Amino acid sequence: MANFPVINMGKLNGEERAATMGQIKDACENWGFFEVLNHGIPHEFLNTVERLTKDHYKKCMEQRFKELVAIEALEGLQAEVTDMDWESTFHLRHLPQSNIAEVPDLSDEYRKVMKEFALKLEKLAEELLDLLCENLGLEKGYLKKAFCGAKGPTFGTKVANYPPCPTPDKIKGLRAHTDAGGIILLLQDAQVSGLQLLNDGEWVDVPPMRHSIVINLGDQLEVITNGKYKSVEHRVIAQTDGARMSIASFYNPGSDAVIYPAPALLEKEAADEKKKLYPKFVFEDYMKLYAALKFQAKEPRFEAMKARETTAPIATA
């Protein structure tokens, strides 16, 4: 099996640009995941994000997780648990409106740093979307525009910690799923592994790499590219040793954005009449469906949106 794709974005500015763009294209078409280095976010800043996140977990969340484990009787499991995950999480919203000021228990320094981190990730997400546009032959800015509802895109962060688990064979850190949204940017623990993706029927480890950002594609990019790029199932395996930090930021369409295959890509596919057309839908409607079916296969979700489209066609702005 080929190695997990690692992209050096520093090479996009020199003679190796074409080869690097080729690596990104291959990663999008065959993996749905890749890791980026030299992405423009300073290493020292990422160290601060990691330090503050781990401090916050220790001070504010570790005890709560232990209490939850006791309440749910998750210690010493005998049978497999399929309706819960071994994770401790909180969520931040950045766009269209930030909620960082309202989230309890965050220190002033942590709030400030996470707000700045969100701005840096937003810029990186839009840069990556334009690189995808270039590879797809779409005009620059097409994907960003496709994600824009009346108030622009939706952008938020899930901060997760996966504590040591005594029975990793009985419960997942996070059950297998694809991501519903657009493009996902992950700062993961550099020491403790656990994230895996499904590639050619095999679970492959996403290697921990200090100061890298892991990128994966969500369901909406699969729809917009009419299946040229695909969202990929992934999961987190609980570990017996070490707590794993995960900060995943989701650059998604606005809730009222209408998502559908890019016409320019469909024109290129016109010769292949058997190519199946993905549905057109309002992103918020897809998310309502996803909320109930997150840990199930994505194909029935697409089929359900297709059926809904047939009964109630959606106008394109």
Side-chain angles (χ1 to χ4, degrees), residues 93-97 122 126 129 142-156 180-183 220-221 224 250-260 281-288 305 314:
R93 187 177 66 246
H94 313 301
L95 296 174
Q97 196 168 352
E122 181 188 347
E126 292 175 354
L129 287 175
Y142 180 89
L143 290 172
K144 181 183 175 182
K145 188 177 176 185
F147 282 14
C148 278
K151 297 177 182 176
T154 306
F155 189 40
I183 190 166
Q220 306 313 301
L221 284 175
I224 293 170
F250 301 80
Y251 188 100
N252 291 345
S255 58
D256 60 341
V258 179
I259 303 300
Y260 54 92
F281 51 80
V282 176
F283 180 60
E284 187 174 29
D285 292 339
Y286 186 84
M287 287 305 292
K288 287 175 183 173
M305 299 315 292
I314 299 165

Side-chain angles (χ1 to χ4, degrees), residues 77-202:
L77 292 169
Q78 299 299 313
E80 188 174 0
V81 174
T82 58
D83 61 349
M84 287 184 71
D85 301 303
W86 188 269
E87 64 172 359
S88 170
T89 67
F90 68 93
H91 295 81
L92 302 173
R93 187 177 66 246
H94 313 301
L95 296 174
Q97 196 168 352
S98 173
N99 74 340
I100 290 181
E102 289 88 57
V103 177
D105 301 328
L106 305 184
S107 69
D108 289 345
E109 183 187 12
Y110 194 25
R111 284 183 212 278
K112 181 183 175 186
V113 165
M114 291 306 281
K115 206 163 191 175
E116 189 179 344
F117 190 32
L119 290 172
K120 293 179 187 299
L121 288 171
E122 181 188 347
K123 180 183 174 187
L124 178 58
E126 292 175 354
E127 183 182 346
L128 287 164
L129 287 175
D130 276 344
L131 294 174
L132 267 55
C133 283
E134 188 177 333
N135 271 335
L136 290 163
L138 296 171
E139 64 178 335
K140 186 175 181 179
Y142 180 89
L143 290 172
K144 181 183 175 182
K145 188 177 176 185
F147 282 14
C148 278
K151 297 177 182 176
T154 306
F155 189 40
T157 296
K158 173 187 173 184
V159 181
N161 277 274
Y162 299 91
C165 177
T167 53
D169 58 326
K170 297 292 192 289
I171 188 169
K172 296 287 185 293
L174 181 60
R175 288 160 285 167
H177 63 287
T178 64
D179 288 327
I183 190 166
I184 299 86
L185 304 92
L186 168 71
L187 175 63
Q188 69 166 345
D189 203 288
Q191 277 83 40
V192 183
S193 62
L195 178 61
Q196 296 182 331
L197 66 97
L198 196 60
N199 183 262
D200 286 337
E202 290 185 33

Side-chain angles (χ1 to χ4, degrees), residues 1-4 31 194-207 234-235:
M1 180 179 286
N3 291 332
F4 182 85
W31 288 83
L195 178 61
Q196 296 182 331
L197 66 97
L198 196 60
N199 183 262
D200 286 337
E202 290 185 33
W203 287 105
V204 178
D205 291 326
V206 177
H234 52 285
R235 67 185 185 182

Side-chain angles (χ1 to χ4, degrees), residues 287-304:
M287 287 305 292
K288 287 175 183 173
L289 185 68
Y290 179 85
L293 304 172
K294 174 176 178 177
F295 298 108
Q296 298 179 28
K298 64 186 171 180
E299 289 78 12
R301 298 197 294 264
F302 292 147
E303 290 300 326

